[in-house]
Amino acid sequence: MKSVFKLSTSRLALLAAFGLAAAGVTPAAAADLGGDCCADLEERVAELEATTARKGNRKVSLTVSGWVNEQVMMWDDGTERNSYVGTNSLEQSRVRFVGEAQIAPGYSAGYTLEIGVQGAPSNQFTQAAPDGTNSNTLNVRKSNWWLKSKDLGKVTVGLEGTALYHVLDDADGANTRNFSDAQAAAVYQGAFKLRSNGAAVGSLGWNNILQGVDNGTVGQDGRRNIIRYDSPTIAGFTLTASWGEDDDWGMSLTYKNTWGDFNILGKAGYGENSDEAIGCADKSSASPPPASVAGTHCELFGTAATIMHVPTGLYVYGGYAQNTDDHIRDVDPGAKETSSMYFVQGGIEQKWMPLGKTTIFGEYRHDDGGSKLTQSFGGTNLQDTSLNFVGAGVIQNIEPAAMDLYVMYRHGEGNISNQTTNVELDAFDSVIVGALMRF
């Protein structure tokens, strides 16, 4: 029994439990176990310890979570049709690591590290690229540390969503949030090339004519290297403010409450961005940025809300947003400096079967896009866009598997113009079937 006394107290207790369970004996019979048995159990425990993921220290908790979201997309651009399989870019597959340590009662510190995983990213699909242009890659979505007080709020430093990040999307109070929120129309159209009467419209794709800093949706900002403050929630209201980069600042207000039989969720935000590399209606990766982007001063505004009648599950979700680039007319006096959009979604969400809630919805989105001086067709700059999107679908939650199954139909159409020409676009239709599974 000499090897037994070399074990720590915790490991001795674990070995004893294994021994009792394996032998099917009572505590009284445990004394009859031989040294060979315990030595074998010690070896097995050591093997388990060597292959188990462990935290760096005992002071900071670690929570690992995320989801896998993969889809099949069947599309028709009026001339060609096909089916692609890939990662749903609206809410891509990801893994999140969150740590937290208690400093004192009511005060804590922590970190967030979130890694996006994309097989074939759906927002990069084109007629010629069924795997997108940046497939089988990882990307850092969030990397930050934070300090939190129960009474004073939370301060975050690092790569994180700005105050206007998902300001429209996060007002979606139904289970369409991860599958058909405010920016879904822009994401699902993706980078597919435009056609008019079957012919390509220059080299433009849907992502080139859809406006907005965040996935072609005006009124929303993205994830930036920022300082962010989230206030405590008071009477259902939470204030968020952020600043960073060169320069990007914003403020938003969230309201979440229950009024009788109704659940209410609303968000509104305003921000300004003078970072030439990000832009507003125009974006460019060139360094230095072209004259059409340099000196940009973008104003962003967005508001959205969901009202759901809890007993019936009937709900309405909708909103309005706009971007204005005050600099764009300095470059082109004839340019349209403001882009706007509005959307509405209605549906019903009820638990008609034991597996989980079913959400049935329909939606409409309209975009009036401004000029994009870095995009052109027919030899002149894109001056104006008018786009319409219609969608409908069913989402089935599977509670025992932490899973959502979805099937959706989407339709996009509209026209674009430059200084001399108006082009009617061929409609783009798609059916998307997929599943999101959480862990």
Side-chain angles (χ1 to χ4, degrees):
M1 298 293 287
K2 182 179 180 180
S3 60
V4 174
F5 296 105
K6 293 181 180 179
L7 301 175
S8 66
T9 303
S10 59
R11 292 183 66 188
L12 181 58
L14 182 59
L15 289 176
F18 275 138
L20 293 175
V25 297
T26 64
D32 296 331
L33 292 173
D36 291 341
C37 170
C38 292
D40 179 62
L41 287 174
E42 181 183 356
E43 182 180 348
R44 293 174 63 184
V45 170
E47 181 181 353
L48 287 171
E49 288 180 339
T51 57
T52 300
R54 49 173 69 89
K55 299 187 300 180
N57 61 66
R58 295 178 179 271
K59 296 179 180 179
V60 181
S61 67
L62 172 62
T63 301
V64 181
S65 63
W67 59 64
V68 173
N69 189 6
E70 300 291 321
Q71 66 171 35
V72 180
M73 182 180 189
M74 295 151 277
W75 58 269
D76 184 342
D77 68 2
T79 300
E80 182 182 351
R81 63 182 62 177
N82 213 326
S83 298
Y84 294 167
V85 180
T87 303
N88 188 328
S89 295
L90 184 68
E91 291 295 343
Q92 70 178 121
S93 302
R94 65 194 62 180
V95 59
R96 179 185 298 125
F97 304 90
V98 177
E100 184 169 5
Q102 194 80 10
I103 299 174
Y107 294 87
S108 60
Y111 66 87
T112 301
L113 179 62
E114 184 174 291
I115 308 298
V117 182
Q118 52 188 25
S122 65
N123 64 347
Q124 298 175 19
F125 287 163
T126 72
Q127 289 85 341
D131 291 329
T133 56
N134 192 26
S135 60
N136 301 319
T137 58
L138 304 178
N139 62 291
V140 179
R141 293 175 52 86
K142 296 182 180 181
S143 178
N144 58 72
W145 59 263
W146 44 263
L147 297 172
K148 183 168 62 176
S149 164
K150 179 181 177 182
D151 300 321
L152 302 177
K154 179 181 178 182
V155 175
T156 303
V157 178
L159 180 59
E160 176 60 278
T162 67
L164 270 71
Y165 179 58
H166 288 166
V167 68
L168 305 175
D169 304 333
D170 287 344
D172 185 348
N175 196 29
T176 55
R177 169 61 184 86
N178 292 324
F179 314 104
S180 193
D181 54 26
Q183 65 180 6
V187 173
Y188 288 121
Q189 301 290 123
F192 282 98
K193 299 304 179 182
L194 302 177
R195 295 187 189 275
S196 179
N197 296 320
V201 183
S203 60
L204 296 178
W206 286 91
N207 61 335
N208 298 127
I209 65 172
L210 283 157
Q211 309 283 6
V213 176
D214 183 37
N215 283 330
T217 302
V218 300
Q220 301 196 135
D221 204 349
R223 297 182 302 273
R224 312 285 176 212
N225 292 295
I226 57 169
I227 300 171
R228 169 171 164 158
Y229 170 72
D230 294 274
S231 76
T233 300
I234 302 173
F237 289 95
T238 305
L239 174 69
T240 300
S242 65
W243 172 86
E245 302 201 350
D246 183 31
D247 288 294
D248 186 321
W249 70 267
M251 299 183 70
S252 64
L253 190 65
T254 302
Y255 178 75
K256 185 176 183 179
N257 216 334
T258 299
W259 298 355
D261 288 337
F262 293 89
N263 284 342
I264 311 295
L265 174 60
K267 291 181 72 73
Y270 173 83
E272 296 186 10
N273 177 4
S274 58
D275 189 335
E276 294 89 345
I278 298 173
C280 182
D282 273 335
K283 293 192 294 182
S284 175
S285 59
S287 181
S292 60
V293 179
T296 187
H297 180 206
C298 179
E299 300 174 61
L300 300 84
F301 168 77
T303 183
T306 299
I307 302 175
M308 177 179 288
H309 184 242
V310 178
T312 62
L314 292 168
Y315 75 91
V316 176
Y317 161 52
Y320 171 83
Q322 70 175 39
N323 286 4
T324 300
D325 191 339
D326 298 333
H327 172 68
I328 199 168
R329 283 194 176 180
D330 296 337
V331 179
D332 181 358
K336 181 181 175 182
E337 62 185 11
T338 299
S339 300
S340 64
M341 64 84 77
Y342 64 85
F343 68 96
V344 62
Q345 178 187 107
I348 184 170
E349 187 168 283
Q350 274 284 8
K351 191 172 183 178
W352 288 306
M353 59 182 73
L355 283 176
K357 288 184 177 181
T358 304
T359 307
I360 303 172
F361 71 94
E363 64 185 24
Y364 171 76
R365 166 174 159 170
H366 176 75
D367 286 57
D368 284 312
S371 301
K372 297 189 76 171
L373 304 183
T374 57
Q375 307 298 335
S376 64
F377 64 99
T380 59
N381 295 326
L382 177 67
Q383 200 79 8
D384 194 13
T385 63
S386 179
L387 307 172
N388 298 298
F389 303 95
V390 177
V394 179
I395 301 163
Q396 180 61 56
N397 177 246
I398 311 294
E399 288 182 4
M403 187 179 198
D404 288 294
L405 305 176
Y406 53 90
V407 56
M408 298 177 290
Y409 164 74
R410 312 201 69 88
H411 171 88
E413 62 181 24
N415 60 78
I416 62 175
S417 61
N418 57 23
Q419 288 90 332
T420 60
T421 308
N422 184 73
V423 174
E424 193 75 23
L425 301 175
D426 293 347
F428 186 91
D429 294 282
S430 61
V431 175
I432 298 115
V433 181
L436 183 152
M437 190 168 187
R438 296 168 177 82
F439 58 86

